[in-house]
Amino acid sequence: MEQKLQMFENRLTKVFRHTSKLARRQNITCYRVYDDDIPEFPFSIEMYEDHVYIAEYHRKHGMEEDAHEEWLDTCLELISKVLEVAPNKIWVKQRQRKENRKSQYEKLSLESHIMTAYEAGLQFKVNLSDYLDTGLFLDHRITRSMIREEVKDKKVLNLFCYTGSFSVYAAAGGAAEVTSVDLSKTYLAWAEENMKLNGFDNPKYTFVHADVLQYLDTLKLNTYDLVIIDPPTFSNSKRMKDFLDVQRDHADMLNKVLLATKKDGVVYFSNNYRRFVLEADKINASSIKDITNQTLPFDFQQKMIRKCYRLIK
C-alpha cells in the first residue's frame, strides 16, 4: 500500500508541476490535473481557481467500506499536500456515492459550494458540490475560443446548451443573436445566469426550453450562420418523446441542423461516445473536418475521449 501511495504521489507531483506551469503561462485558472493515470487511483482531479474538484470513478476495488473510507481519506490528504490546497477547499464526488459516507471530506460535500470561475476574461458559475458535473466542461476551452473568433454579427444556435458556456463565448464574440436550447430547466436557468454574469442581458439572447430532437423539426430553413450541437451519448429522459442514441441519430440530427443553417454556415458538432464513428457519407455538408486534435487543451492531451467536427453547409 505504501509503495502504491508513493507511486501516486510521484505521479501527481510530476503532472501538477507540468500542468500548473502551462496553466500559469496561459493565464488559465481552471484545468484538469490528473485523470485516472494510475488504475489503482481512479480519480479525475481538477483545479477551479483555488479549489480542487475530485471525482472518484466507480471501480471494483475489493475493499470493505471502512477500508475504502480510510484509503480515500489517505488519498485526499496526499492530494491536499501535493496541490497545496486546504482540505476545506477540496470537493469530492463518487460516481456511485454511498449515502452514509462519514469522512470529514464528505461532510463538506453536503454543504453547497457555488463559486465563480474565470476563463478567457469571462465568468462562469460553477457548482462543486451538488451535481456530478461542475457546470463547465474544461475540455472545450479551445473550441469555445474558436467560436468566439468567428461569430461577429452572426446568428448563433446552441443546442443541448447545458449551462450555456458556448453561448457566453458567442455573445462575447459579438454575435447578432444567440439562441440556447435545452430540455433541463435547471441548466437553462443556469445558462441565463452565466449570460447575465457577463453583462449579456439582452432580448437578442434567448433561452428555449425544449426537447432538441423535436425542436429541430420546428426550425426555419436557412436561418443560422453558426450552430453548436453537443448532444449526450444516450438520453431517455422521461420528458423526451424519443430515445436519443448519438451513434444512430447523428446523421439525421445534423441534416436537420444543416437545413436550418445558411449557405456556407458552420456547424460545430461534438460528442463523448468512445466508439463514435462519423457517417460522413450520410451527411449533407459541403465539407466536414475532424477538429478533435486541434481543440485538445494541454490538460487533456493524455486522455481525450470526445470527438469534435466542423461542418460547412
Side-chain angles (χ1 to χ4, degrees):
M1 177 68 165
E2 282 300 317
Q3 202 177 354
K4 283 183 177 169
L5 277 166
Q6 190 59 57
M7 221 166 76
F8 177 50
E9 183 173 351
N10 294 346
R11 176 70 189 160
L12 189 58
T13 304
K14 186 182 169 188
V15 293
F16 181 57
R17 200 173 284 152
H18 177 65
T19 51
S20 61
K21 193 185 289 178
L22 290 172
R24 264 197 310 277
R25 227 176 263 161
Q26 296 178 44
N27 203 17
I28 288 167
T29 52
C30 302
Y31 56 95
R32 183 162 289 187
V33 175
Y34 172 97
D35 192 5
D36 207 7
D37 300 21
I38 299 170
E40 292 93 335
F41 298 90
F43 302 114
S44 157
I45 304 173
E46 294 174 341
M47 297 296 299
Y48 282 86
E49 309 296 329
D50 58 343
H51 288 70
V52 175
Y53 173 82
I54 302 170
E56 183 193 357
Y57 297 117
H58 184 65
R59 290 275 159 80
K60 285 192 173 119
H61 46 62
M63 286 182 258
E64 290 294 322
E65 196 174 325
D66 287 353
H68 179 254
E69 293 295 318
E70 206 176 310
W71 169 83
L72 186 56
D73 281 344
T74 306
C75 291
L76 295 174
E77 277 172 38
L78 192 149
I79 293 165
S80 169
K81 182 182 90 172
V82 173
L83 305 189
E84 296 178 353
V85 172
N88 66 351
K89 289 191 170 183
I90 295 179
W91 303 85
V92 189
K93 292 286 165 54
Q94 288 170 294
R95 292 285 159 178
Q96 285 196 357
R97 195 165 91 184
K98 296 274 193 291
E99 285 309 311
N100 57 350
R101 262 185 58 66
K102 295 180 290 291
S103 89
Q104 53 169 327
Y105 293 90
E106 179 65 9
K107 282 187 200 122
L108 296 171
S109 298
L110 297 176
E111 297 165 18
S112 189
H113 187 75
I114 294 166
M115 62 181 285
T116 301
Y118 296 84
E119 186 181 88
L122 299 167
Q123 302 177 57
F124 299 91
K125 171 188 149 182
V126 296
N127 186 326
L128 301 184
S129 53
D130 300 339
Y131 306 95
L132 270 180
D133 294 303
T134 63
L136 185 64
F137 290 130
L138 303 181
D139 60 290
H140 269 308
R141 194 186 300 124
I142 293 172
T143 326
R144 288 191 275 271
S145 290
M146 285 167 72
I147 284 164
R148 173 156 67 175
E149 293 300 308
E150 63 175 300
V151 292
K152 184 132 182 66
D153 302 326
K154 291 183 175 173
K155 280 189 171 185
V156 176
L157 175 64
N158 184 6
L159 299 166
F160 302 101
C161 75
Y162 186 47
T163 61
S165 53
F166 277 113
S167 300
V168 171
Y169 269 78
E177 289 177 21
V178 183
T179 304
S180 308
V181 187
D182 205 278
L183 182 60
S184 162
K185 283 184 176 169
T186 303
Y187 288 137
L188 210 56
W190 193 333
E192 204 164 344
E193 233 178 302
N194 274 335
M195 291 289 268
K196 285 178 178 164
L197 198 55
N198 291 279
F200 305 134
D201 188 5
N202 187 304
K204 65 182 187 177
Y205 308 125
T206 53
F207 303 87
V208 180
H209 175 240
D211 172 349
V212 172
L213 293 186
Q214 289 177 54
Y215 183 74
L216 289 175
D217 294 326
T218 69
L219 292 174
K220 292 189 174 71
L221 299 176
N222 311 315
T223 304
Y224 296 98
D225 301 290
L226 189 141
V227 182
I228 301 129
I229 179 164
D230 186 11
T233 301
F234 300 103
S235 183
N236 59 350
S237 164
K238 291 182 182 68
R239 289 162 300 167
M240 273 178 87
K241 194 169 150 214
D242 306 305
F243 171 73
L244 168 69
D245 174 334
V246 78
Q247 182 61 64
R248 181 194 68 199
D249 301 330
H250 73 276
D252 187 41
M253 273 196 303
L254 288 169
N255 284 332
K256 286 178 181 178
V257 165
L258 286 159
L259 284 173
T261 306
K262 293 177 188 171
K263 187 176 175 347
D264 300 324
V266 176
V267 176
Y268 279 90
F269 166 54
S270 174
N271 77 81
N272 282 52
Y273 182 42
R274 284 168 193 270
R275 295 191 293 279
F276 182 75
V277 179
L278 187 82
E279 295 174 347
D281 55 326
K282 293 183 183 171
I283 298 165
N284 308 320
S286 66
S287 128
I288 301 177
K289 194 175 172 198
D290 185 335
I291 58 167
T292 304
N293 289 338
Q294 72 189 82
T295 58
L296 209 57
F298 68 91
D299 45 334
F300 286 83
Q301 295 287 341
Q302 307 306 319
K303 194 177 179 197
M304 187 70 254
I305 55 165
R306 68 142 171 87
K307 302 280 198 306
C308 194
Y309 304 89
R310 189 175 189 269
L311 292 74
I312 298 175
K313 183 168 178 176

